[in-house]
Amino acid sequence: MKVYERLSQAFKAEGTTHVFGMMGDGNMYWQYANEKNGIKMHEVRHEGVGLGMADGWARATRNPGVCTATCGPGTTQLATAFVTAARASSPVVAFCGEYPVSDDEYTQALDQSAFAHGCEAAFVRMGTAEDADEAVRKAFYIARTQSRPVLLSVPMDLQQKEWEDDEPYMPSTAILPKRNVSPHQDAIAQAADMLSKAKRPVIVAGRGAMWSGAGDEIRALAARTGALIATTLQAKNWLGDDEYHIGISGTYATKTAIGLLSDSDVVVAVGASLNRYTTHEGLLYPEAKFIHIDPKAHVLLSRGKGADHYVQSDGKAGIAALNAELSQRNFKQLGYRTGEVKEKLANAWEDRADYKIEEGTLDPRPLCLALDDLVPTDINLFVGSGHTSGFTNILFRKSRPIVMPGHFFGCIGQMMPAAVGAVIGSGMKPAILMDGDASTMMHIGDFDTMVRYNVPLLIYCMNNQCLGAEYYKLDAHDMKVDTSCIPTADLGAVARAFGGRGALCRTLDEVKKVTQEWLANPGPMLVDVRVSRSVVTLPYRRIHYGEDV
């Protein structure tokens, strides 16, 4: 057996079923062995897309995503996707070929350790052929325990060595520590003391709460304490059917939400980082005290502040214990849960700002509202970053099995790869992606990948033919906006040229028609929706124009 064959066996033993990436001479033999071992390869058109797909797979399945690239230039193509996965805390293992140890003058030689660290990824190198098992096990162990991407660097010539050891591979799962963290009763009692004195409590739930399965416990605690339920961006729409769910806490909050949240006196954060965006630069909860529940030893709030009371605990266990303590004290109150607040929430998502819509375009606000109603709730939703996210992150409100926003690293272009990987990871369940034109164009070559693997993803490109964020910043400073405008071709026709389905829509009726057609037969499709530039998102109105209407 060759070392590359043993490496493939080790990946399979770690649970790898799919690999995303591009073949080169630094990984081709490993990929050949993967095919023999039943590991499905998804060949992409850009290495960074492969890592983005592995990132989406990891976020959707909560298991390590695997991608691959060849040495040198193949590896450097992973840069932005590496940082994005690192900021998303995604467990990803990237199998990267490395130049031969016997040839220091190899054309594609690169210090891949320095590259990985510069991209905020962990680095593991297979230093000798005998280290194959140890290197793979260490890479997966780091990915699983630290929730971060790992660059596994494997020299080309070492892959060709003979593997003599016939011992079975021991996967990292065999040595993983127990991760469940139970709260200390004294810490719960202190949290209960704070909550029992609160008149206007808010529960802010993040991905950690969602992943721990704390939904029922959060609902029960909110009902007992009279709390509003808000989420971070990354837990968007979770528990959204609760009548006192207020939406996203922070930058993407509605005007109604900001008004109510600003009056809160105690905030219970569960599995949420409470970063600068969640707290709207630290301004959203001016008088509130914070109870923070998280399995990490400690997490800082925005601006380097600590919570008033920190409870180290798994989200579900911590909220259940807090609810039990308050129940034992016979504590129950109305808090925010009044008819007046319910009436305010009923109209919270209305945006009455009036804009003149350019001919041949449509208002993006009714577009989002219509699609949220039209697309069944068993269809998953992916939301890109950039200007369009100011509409989609607020106006799409329905709970779905997967609602995955972007915004990690503040970069555009990364949500299409992540959406494809997540769709594949979910067992090819149909999904829609809302994104902008610059973001869509960045990796449109891999629409071909969607077609080759028949990925049931419908991409709505909200196309205002400009770099939206820059357009409004220039406009707010009375500068020439034309420099940010970039005309595009009919992207629906581009999708059809790749062998998929596509359409160009300028009216809401046209959008509804093509959506109904896709729902009847999901597959790879791109809809170029021409939207108005005149409509400014609510976050941009606040940030750049000093408005909140």
Side-chain angles (χ1 to χ4, degrees), residues 53-331:
M53 291 180 181
D55 179 6
W57 168 286
R59 288 190 234 168
T61 67
R62 299 194 61 217
N63 290 310
V66 177
C67 68
T68 186
T70 192
C71 58
T75 296
T76 58
Q77 294 277 38
L78 303 176
T80 300
F82 254 140
V83 180
T84 302
R87 300 290 175 88
S89 299
S90 293
V92 171
V93 175
F95 180 102
C96 295
E98 185 185 304
Y99 70 94
V101 295
S102 57
D103 188 356
D104 288 339
E105 297 181 359
Y106 192 74
T107 302
Q108 295 181 332
L110 173 73
D111 182 349
Q112 296 188 172
S113 172
F115 172 78
H117 294 146
C119 295
E120 302 181 8
F123 181 78
V124 175
R125 184 173 187 268
M126 191 186 81
T128 68
E130 292 75 22
D131 292 337
D133 281 12
E134 180 183 347
V136 174
R137 185 163 46 249
K138 184 176 181 180
F140 276 91
Y141 181 86
I142 293 171
R144 286 188 162 109
T145 57
Q146 299 181 21
S147 293
R148 65 184 301 204
V150 183
L151 192 161
L152 174 59
S153 193
V154 187
M156 297 162 58
D157 51 349
L158 297 186
Q159 295 181 45
Q160 300 296 331
K161 299 283 188 179
E162 291 294 328
W163 179 264
E164 307 293 348
D165 191 350
D166 59 358
E167 289 292 318
Y169 175 81
M170 182 177 67
S172 62
T173 50
I175 56 174
L176 284 176
K178 184 179 179 182
R179 297 179 65 93
N180 216 21
V181 180
S182 297
H184 194 282
Q185 186 55 40
D186 288 347
I188 291 297
Q190 291 179 52
D193 289 342
M194 291 176 64
L195 257 182
S196 62
K197 297 174 184 175
K199 302 300 182 185
R200 297 174 301 281
V202 172
I203 299 174
V204 179
R207 282 196 306 177
M210 185 168 61
W211 288 346
S212 74
D216 291 342
E217 287 74 14
I218 288 174
R219 290 179 192 274
L221 182 63
R224 175 175 297 280
T225 61
L228 294 174
I229 296 175
T231 71
T232 64
L233 173 61
Q234 297 309 319
K236 174 178 165 55
N237 295 3
W238 187 52
L239 308 179
D241 56 347
D242 188 284
E243 58 185 354
Y244 288 96
H245 192 289
I246 202 165
I248 293 172
S249 169
T251 303
Y252 295 108
T254 64
K255 183 177 180 179
T256 300
I258 287 178
L260 289 169
L261 297 178
S262 294
D263 289 335
S264 172
D265 52 4
V266 170
V267 175
V268 182
V270 193
S273 64
L274 288 183
N275 57 39
R276 61 187 297 185
Y277 301 106
T278 307
T279 63
H280 200 34
E281 302 292 344
L283 301 174
L284 191 54
Y285 304 99
E287 304 298 329
K289 294 187 179 298
F290 289 88
I291 300 168
H292 205 164
I293 301 174
D294 198 280
K296 299 183 184 71
H298 197 261
V299 178
L300 286 176
L301 312 185
S302 65
R303 301 178 181 271
K305 297 179 180 179
D308 298 276
H309 182 57
Y310 194 87
V311 180
Q312 185 179 11
S313 173
D314 167 81
K316 182 176 182 177
I319 293 294
L322 183 52
N323 202 36
E325 176 68 20
L326 290 170
S327 175
Q328 189 174 3
R329 299 183 185 190
N330 294 317
F331 177 80

Side-chain angles (χ1 to χ4, degrees), residues 330-401:
N330 294 317
F331 177 80
K332 188 174 179 62
Q333 68 171 7
L334 279 178
Y336 273 117
R337 299 197 161 215
T338 66
E340 180 185 358
V341 171
K342 187 186 293 188
E343 186 176 346
K344 288 181 179 180
L345 292 178
N347 301 310
W349 282 266
E350 290 185 19
D351 184 357
R352 298 185 179 92
D354 188 29
Y355 295 95
K356 183 178 180 180
I357 308 303
E358 304 97 304
E359 186 178 353
T361 69
L362 56 91
D363 188 327
R365 295 170 296 179
L367 168 68
C368 294
L369 293 171
L371 290 176
D372 199 29
D373 283 337
L374 181 61
V375 176
T377 55
D378 61 343
I379 302 289
N380 293 326
L381 169 68
F382 300 89
V383 177
S385 55
H387 163 66
T388 58
S389 65
F391 297 116
T392 53
N393 283 335
I394 295 176
L395 297 173
F396 277 86
R397 298 168 50 201
K398 293 188 176 179
S399 296
R400 300 172 184 276

Side-chain angles (χ1 to χ4, degrees), residues 522-538:
M525 187 173 187
L526 172 58
V527 179
D528 183 344
V529 186
R530 297 301 165 100
V531 297
S532 171
R533 286 181 197 154
S534 68
V535 185
V536 185
T537 68
L538 187 56

